[in-house]
Amino acid sequence: MGLAKVSNGFSVKAALRLCERLKLSATQTDALFRAMQSGNAARRAIVLSPKSTAKNYQPPFSCEPRKKYPWLPENVLLPDESVNPAQHADYAAGMYYVLDISSCWEGAALSAVPSAPEKSLDLCAAPGGKTMLLAARFPLRDHTANEVQACRRGILRENLLRCGVENTQVTGLPPDQWAIQGDQFDLLLVDAPCSGQSLLCKGISNPGCLGSAAVNGNAKRQRGIMLQAVRCVCPRGHILYTTCTYDPAENERVVSYLLRRVPGWQAVEIPLLAAFRSDLCDFPAYRLLPHHGFGAGGFCCLLRRFS
Ligand SMILES: C[S@@+](CC[C@H](N)C(=O)[O-])C[C@H]1O[C@@H](n2cnc3c(N)ncnc32)[C@H](O)[C@@H]1O
């Protein structure tokens, strides 16, 4: 596997420990190391915006056939790898939003939400990718894109405005302030702040992201956010929990903590993502890794309040 060569700003020992925790085979471990080392696992997708879906829009560049990606929603396309879609005038005109394909994979979990939400909240929204994926699947009726960091709210507003996302307000409340307002939402997106281990596979330096301090600190914050998130959702409502990191402590274990601690919730099967089901837990949760060949990777779990 050429471990001696793995030096792209991350600790080989910590990466090996992570692979053990993920119970990866030798081939999968090799693929993850290669992706971390080369930093070229990112793959751009475009999410057609409400502006373009209204006009039956075709992008001005060629896109890959979608057959390989049965879980992609219809209005998410994969430009040929030679294309940089953010450089086209149509991007500035808000015809589409650009995301890594692994974010779109996470958004595919929304396929198991049975109907358009009446009232939805993207709790960790900036710069707006998950709200764009929600808008690509359902008409937004009463949506809130919330971002606690004031310095990230401007770009969130700008992106949603440029792409013509309607019926959406931008706010900046911390999760506990939403929770005290009661269980008013039927869909919550929690794209949690995380250690961002997948950034390494996109060639973005992220020192310490494999270490226990980063992982445990983020896991604690994620558990805190989720304990507030469940208080915002009405009976039969859903939470989509996602991260762009690999560690089980920030993924399966956050969900399992919540399911043990809060009665009335269950994780929901996502048939479209069956091939990605995590074997690190006994409830339906899904993880994407570089060896799957669909971008840098991530985790998703859809939770439903049944009482
Ligand atoms: C992974 S990013 C969200 C990306 C966004 N959903 C998208 O798809 O473009 C996580 C966001 O959570 C915000 N955040 C950080 N700490 C938070 C907290 N304690 N509660 C809620 N959000 C937090 C960060 O500012 C960051 O914008």
Side-chain angles (χ1 to χ4, degrees), residues 34 37 40 61 118 173 183 198 244 264 266 268 303-304:
R34 278 178 204 281
Q37 188 175 28
N40 65 2
F61 38 77
E118 291 299 330
L173 293 182
D183 55 356
S198 71
C244 63
Q266 63 188 170
V268 174
L303 294 156
R304 178 172 184 268

Side-chain angles (χ1 to χ4, degrees), residues 123-130 147-149 152 175 191-193 221 225:
L123 194 57
C124 316
K130 291 295 184 304
E147 171 52 51
V148 286
Q149 283 194 29
R152 289 169 63 84
D191 191 23
R221 176 164 59 169
I225 293 173

Side-chain angles (χ1 to χ4, degrees), residues 1-19 33 36 210:
M1 140 163 85
L3 279 188
K5 290 191 200 147
V6 178
S7 59
N8 185 21
F10 66 92
S11 147
V12 173
K13 264 194 195 161
L16 275 176
R17 279 198 298 267
L18 171 66
C19 293
F33 266 85
M36 285 180 174
L210 299 170

Side-chain angles (χ1 to χ4, degrees), residues 80-266:
D80 286 347
E81 292 203 51
S82 56
V83 172
N84 182 350
Q87 282 178 348
H88 280 255
D90 286 8
Y91 172 77
M95 304 311 276
Y96 52 78
Y97 189 81
V98 182
L99 275 174
D100 187 62
I101 189 171
S102 32
S103 299
C104 303
W105 173 90
E106 292 173 352
L110 292 168
S111 60
V113 174
S115 54
E118 291 299 330
K119 194 167 177 181
S120 48
L121 170 64
D122 184 348
L123 194 57
C124 316
K130 291 295 184 304
T131 283
M132 288 304 307
L133 286 164
L134 180 64
R137 186 170 293 274
F138 293 123
L140 299 186
R141 294 177 175 145
D142 178 357
H143 181 68
T144 301
N146 182 74
E147 171 52 51
V148 286
Q149 283 194 29
C151 61
R152 289 169 63 84
R153 243 172 269 145
I155 184 71
L156 171 63
R157 250 189 218 104
E158 201 179 298
N159 284 336
L160 300 183
L161 193 67
R162 188 181 70 249
C163 293
V165 176
E166 290 180 339
N167 303 327
T168 296
Q169 53 164 343
V170 172
T171 59
L173 293 182
D176 60 332
Q177 294 296 307
W178 283 109
I180 56 175
Q181 296 177 41
D183 55 356
Q184 55 179 317
F185 296 100
D186 52 355
L187 178 63
L188 231 75
L189 305 179
V190 179
D191 191 23
C194 67
S195 58
Q197 292 162 346
S198 71
L199 294 183
L200 297 175
C201 300
K202 294 180 181 174
I204 300 170
S205 156
N206 189 6
C209 68
L210 299 170
S212 54
V215 168
N216 295 338
N218 277 291
K220 186 171 177 210
R221 176 164 59 169
Q222 290 149 356
R223 292 192 297 268
I225 293 173
M226 286 300 275
L227 283 175
Q228 304 303 331
V230 289
R231 297 171 59 199
C232 301
V233 177
C234 63
R236 291 176 296 286
H238 293 81
I239 297 179
L240 175 56
Y241 178 74
T242 51
T243 73
C244 63
T245 207
Y246 308 130
D247 207 293
E250 298 182 57
N251 295 315
E252 288 87 348
R253 276 164 40 202
V254 171
V255 176
S256 119
Y257 166 85
L258 195 83
L259 293 176
R260 272 186 279 116
R261 177 100 191 237
V262 186
W265 285 82
Q266 63 188 170

